[in-house]
Amino acid sequence: MSIEKVARFAGVSTATVSRVLNGYKGVRPATRERVLAAIAACQYQPNLLARQLRTSQSRMLLVLVSNIINPFCSRVVRGIEAEAEAHGYHILLCNSDSQTQRESAYLTLLSGKVVDGVITMDAASNLPELRKMIGDSPWIQCAEGNPDMTGSSVTIDNQQAARKAVQHLAQRGRRRIAMINGDPRYFYAQQRESGYRSALAELDLPWSGVEYANEVECEAGFAAMKRLLEAEEPPDAVFTVSDVLAVGAMHCARQHQLTIPQDLAVLGFDGLPWSAMLSPPLSTLEQPMHQLGTRSVQLLLQRIKNPLAPQVHERLPCQLVARASS
Amino acid sequence: MSIEKVARFAGVSTATVSRVLNGYKGVRPATRERVLAAIAACQYQPNLLARQLRTSQSRMLLVLVSNIINPFCSRVVRGIEAEAEAHGYHILLCNSDSQTQRESAYLTLLSGKVVDGVITMDAASNLPELRKMIGDSPWIQCAEGNPDMTGSSVTIDNQQAARKAVQHLAQRGRRRIAMINGDPRYFYAQQRESGYRSALAELDLPWSGVEYANEVECEAGFAAMKRLLEAEEPPDAVFTVSDVLAVGAMHCARQHQLTIPQDLAVLGFDGLPWSAMLSPPLSTLEQPMHQLGTRSVQLLLQRIKNPLAPQVHERLPCQLVARASS
């Protein structure tokens, strides 16, 4: 067999050649170099597909994300990829735009054994249909998760985070606290709105105002803020579900000659590094973005190893960071 | 054969079932639904790996990106994925951090026929080694491309873009124009620095100052700006190679009690949507990010179809957008 020839040529065991081919860690750089040189010298073409067919393991994970240009998503995906790579797995990326038709094309890869498992970051409203397509395959819901679904999840407590946001703005003396929310097909958006409304009720603040951004881009935050500011009773504070939306909201406030935070307090969500360097620096709810990704992979690999492992619904901590914008 | 059973059940041809399984466009949603229902009813498990082995086509493309959390990268990758999906291809994403060891693990997927081709967005300094690993496989250099390498490329004219930046700042009366550059192992960084220096020479501006950001995060832009401002002769303008770095530079200037643009003019790069909504709005060089991605896929698919197609080096236009920061 050819792999033995490569091993002899490199002066290593066939197991070591196999480790290099599989991209596992724990092979010393010098050894890896020698094996790669031997592969080139022997013109060895490992047929990975044939091997996957033999072992019925592809060592590939499918990641369904609504849109990678949302910086929250790209940071979670970075965590997913880093952890996957550390375990010798690769990731297939699907931007679904939350369209199940796009997702269905990808999910045939699962039934076709091209991928060993799936991590979804997609809207909860799609989950019942996705669930049907995924069947009994290993699956983790990441960042966006419905605990009532079968299928483990790693999320934050979105309801609690939104309550913290409202409580913070109320403590700063705000009475008309508005919310710029995301697409209400998302469970996170539903949960954050529910937390927002229950906090207002608890604090005896009767005024409420919710506008929805149709995408996580600053233009959508700008448009939502415009609707709020041009209403009969404009808000004196706004809680947005993304730092990206907050950038648009702050820009809109400035165009309306409002000073932040005196005339309008602004609070973001996610804790993107640049939120600290805006003018004024943006208060925000900091999510553990990288960790949401790494933890999802750890749970998925456990599930691939043991398909009968019990379902878990983990909630990672989320922290309010108060800065000059509120 | 099972696929025939599915076709009979759905009342369509086997070719249509195959189109649905392959995720091709051009199947009507209602027909797709019927086929998917038939697949579920017949409990059909298409063995995609076996099929890939038979056709020696995986319909997967490998994308090597240094770091997806750079918003420039995530927007290019979005374009890549959109165009790939439109042609029935899926993408495997590798965050290399420009480490060839990470990349080598992925590139075994190429020799193993798990992927049909590669798009690299990685540092030019790695290209000779990558080139060796890629061999004769279909390959496109995207955004970061050395025209001297065999292997087609889709880029902007980085040298010309940097000249435009310096000319613009000089027209605004600036005499001490500094540059915050990226990792000099990148061809784009080398080319932009060369454009910067040649424009200074042409305009007879003897002062120059270049600092390097070790990553594309605002903190690195802040640190580079700090070094420039605390030097004996601080600049009166700064050209940064990313809008993300510019956010850090502006924050640092404000901390030094400087007003933008009166005391320091700032110019970014990339044209991320939120650059228009910063305070003050950021002047920038707008790159066609989505199009860099889509065009790379088009060229790669041509190459997969015809491995003997001539090499091309396409340059897409890049536009200076002047705003209040300069």
Side-chain angles (χ1 to χ4, degrees):
Chain A
M1 255 180 76
S2 197
I3 193 169
E4 284 158 8
K5 190 173 148 200
V6 172
R8 265 202 311 278
F9 198 96
V12 299
S13 66
T14 54
T16 301
V17 175
S18 168
R19 290 177 74 79
V20 171
L21 288 172
N22 282 290
Y24 288 114
K25 298 245 160 174
V27 180
R28 280 188 313 199
T31 310
R32 176 186 295 274
E33 285 298 303
R34 217 157 67 232
V35 170
L36 290 175
I39 287 170
C42 302
Q43 301 196 302
Y44 175 54
Q45 293 271 314
N47 196 322
L48 299 185
L49 282 177
R51 196 190 51 218
Q52 287 169 15
L53 202 58
R54 213 161 55 234
T55 62
S56 8
Q57 275 217 347
S58 68
R59 299 191 83 82
M60 282 201 223
L61 307 177
L62 176 61
V63 180
L64 293 181
V65 58
S66 51
N67 196 342
I68 192 77
I69 69 178
N70 178 346
F72 167 77
C73 293
S74 67
R75 284 175 188 266
V76 174
V77 167
R78 186 70 172 98
I80 290 174
E81 204 262 349
E83 190 69 14
E85 200 254 350
H87 292 89
Y89 279 79
H90 301 133
I91 67 162
L92 257 170
L93 183 72
C94 162
N95 286 293
S96 68
D97 291 324
S98 298
Q99 293 169 14
T100 47
Q101 203 188 329
R102 288 198 74 175
E103 290 165 335
S104 74
Y106 276 91
L107 286 169
T108 57
L109 296 174
L110 190 61
S111 52
K113 319 279 186 211
V114 176
V115 297
D116 293 339
V118 185
I119 296 174
T120 63
M121 296 178 66
D122 204 8
S125 65
N126 287 343
L127 287 179
E129 200 176 335
L130 279 181
R131 187 77 201 81
K132 230 164 40 186
M133 293 193 268
I134 292 170
D136 294 327
S137 300
W139 173 43
I140 303 290
Q141 304 171 67
C142 174
E144 168 76 358
N146 183 345
D148 298 336
M149 294 287 295
T150 52
S152 296
S153 64
V154 184
T155 60
I156 59 160
D157 185 336
N158 282 297
Q159 209 162 1
Q160 185 54 25
R163 290 157 65 102
K164 271 193 214 166
V166 173
Q167 286 159 1
H168 167 78
L169 293 167
Q171 272 162 16
R172 301 282 163 117
R174 306 301 158 142
R175 313 303 294 166
R176 293 192 313 281
I177 300 168
M179 177 183 192
I180 295 180
N181 203 356
D183 185 337
R185 292 180 304 160
Y186 280 81
F187 204 70
Y188 87 79
Q190 295 162 23
Q191 291 291 296
R192 291 184 198 169
E193 186 165 335
S194 147
Y196 162 79
R197 291 194 187 278
S198 66
L200 288 181
E202 283 159 25
L203 294 161
D204 214 12
L205 293 172
W207 191 96
S208 75
V210 179
E211 287 289 341
Y212 300 91
N214 60 345
E215 55 175 355
V216 183
E217 289 272 25
C218 56
E219 293 92 337
F222 184 95
M225 192 72 237
K226 194 159 186 286
R227 291 192 296 272
L228 287 167
L229 290 179
E230 293 175 0
E232 215 160 294
E233 253 196 312
D236 59 13
V238 66
F239 156 51
T240 72
V241 294
S242 153
D243 295 341
V244 174
L245 296 173
V247 170
M250 290 207 286
H251 189 62
C252 183
R254 281 189 296 264
Q255 285 207 344
H256 283 73
Q257 319 301 332
L258 301 178
T259 305
I260 300 164
Q262 291 82 347
D263 302 323
L264 183 80
V266 182
L267 185 68
F269 211 109
D270 292 342
L272 298 167
W274 48 254
S275 64
M277 300 203 180
L278 295 174
S279 172
L282 178 65
S283 300
T284 188
L285 282 142
E286 211 168 70
Q287 297 203 63
M289 297 177 275
H290 195 84
Q291 204 193 342
L292 281 165
T294 55
R295 195 62 196 129
S296 300
V297 171
Q298 288 160 8
L299 289 178
L300 182 58
L301 295 183
Q302 281 174 21
R303 199 137 201 94
I304 289 171
K305 222 166 150 182
N306 175 15
L308 299 175
Q311 311 272 343
V312 291
H313 295 287
E314 283 194 8
R315 284 183 171 178
L316 303 182
C318 176
Q319 198 189 343
L320 191 134
V321 182
R323 299 195 185 109
S325 74
S326 61
Chain B
M1 256 179 76
S2 198
I3 194 169
E4 286 160 6
K5 191 173 148 197
V6 171
R8 266 202 311 277
F9 198 97
V12 299
S13 66
T14 53
T16 301
V17 175
S18 168
R19 291 177 74 79
V20 171
L21 287 172
N22 282 291
Y24 288 116
K25 298 245 163 176
V27 180
R28 280 187 315 196
T31 309
R32 177 185 295 274
E33 284 298 304
R34 218 157 66 233
V35 170
L36 291 175
I39 287 169
C42 302
Q43 300 195 301
Y44 175 54
Q45 294 270 315
N47 197 321
L48 299 185
L49 282 177
R51 196 189 53 220
Q52 286 169 16
L53 201 58
R54 214 162 53 235
T55 63
S56 351
Q57 275 217 346
S58 69
R59 300 191 80 82
M60 281 201 225
L61 307 177
L62 176 61
V63 180
L64 294 181
V65 57
S66 50
N67 196 344
I68 191 78
I69 70 178
N70 177 346
F72 167 77
C73 293
S74 67
R75 284 176 187 267
V76 175
V77 168
R78 186 71 173 100
I80 290 175
E81 205 263 349
E83 189 70 13
E85 202 256 349
H87 292 89
Y89 278 79
H90 301 134
I91 66 162
L92 257 171
L93 183 72
C94 163
N95 286 292
S96 68
D97 291 324
S98 299
Q99 293 170 14
T100 47
Q101 202 188 330
R102 290 200 72 175
E103 292 166 335
S104 75
Y106 277 90
L107 287 169
T108 58
L109 296 173
L110 190 62
S111 53
K113 319 279 187 214
V114 176
V115 296
D116 293 339
V118 185
I119 296 174
T120 63
M121 294 177 66
D122 205 6
S125 66
N126 287 343
L127 288 180
E129 201 175 335
L130 279 181
R131 186 78 200 81
K132 228 163 44 185
M133 293 194 269
I134 292 171
D136 294 328
S137 299
W139 173 42
I140 303 291
Q141 304 171 69
C142 173
E144 169 76 358
N146 184 344
D148 298 336
M149 296 285 296
T150 52
S152 296
S153 64
V154 184
T155 60
I156 59 160
D157 185 336
N158 282 298
Q159 208 161 0
Q160 183 55 22
R163 290 157 64 103
K164 272 192 213 168
V166 173
Q167 285 160 1
H168 167 78
L169 293 167
Q171 273 162 15
R172 299 285 164 112
R174 306 302 159 141
R175 313 301 295 164
R176 293 193 311 283
I177 300 168
M179 177 182 192
I180 296 181
N181 202 356
D183 184 338
R185 292 181 303 160
Y186 281 81
F187 203 71
Y188 88 78
Q190 294 162 23
Q191 290 291 297
R192 291 183 198 169
E193 187 165 337
S194 146
Y196 162 80
R197 292 195 187 279
S198 67
L200 288 181
E202 283 159 24
L203 294 160
D204 214 11
L205 294 172
W207 191 96
S208 73
V210 179
E211 286 289 342
Y212 300 91
N214 59 346
E215 54 174 355
V216 183
E217 289 273 24
C218 54
E219 294 91 336
F222 184 95
M225 192 72 237
K226 195 159 185 285
R227 292 193 295 272
L228 287 167
L229 290 179
E230 292 174 0
E232 215 160 293
E233 253 196 313
D236 58 13
V238 65
F239 156 52
T240 73
V241 294
S242 153
D243 294 341
V244 174
L245 297 173
V247 170
M250 291 208 284
H251 188 63
C252 183
R254 281 189 296 263
Q255 285 206 344
H256 282 74
Q257 317 303 331
L258 300 178
T259 305
I260 300 163
Q262 290 80 347
D263 302 322
L264 182 80
V266 181
L267 184 69
F269 212 109
D270 291 343
L272 297 168
W274 48 253
S275 64
M277 299 204 180
L278 296 175
S279 173
L282 178 66
S283 300
T284 188
L285 282 141
E286 210 168 71
Q287 298 203 62
M289 298 177 275
H290 195 85
Q291 203 193 343
L292 281 165
T294 56
R295 194 65 195 128
S296 300
V297 172
Q298 288 161 9
L299 290 178
L300 182 58
L301 295 184
Q302 280 173 21
R303 196 131 204 99
I304 289 171
K305 221 167 150 181
N306 176 15
L308 299 174
Q311 312 270 345
V312 291
H313 294 287
E314 282 194 9
R315 285 183 169 177
L316 302 182
C318 176
Q319 198 188 343
L320 191 135
V321 182
R323 300 196 185 110
S325 73
S326 60

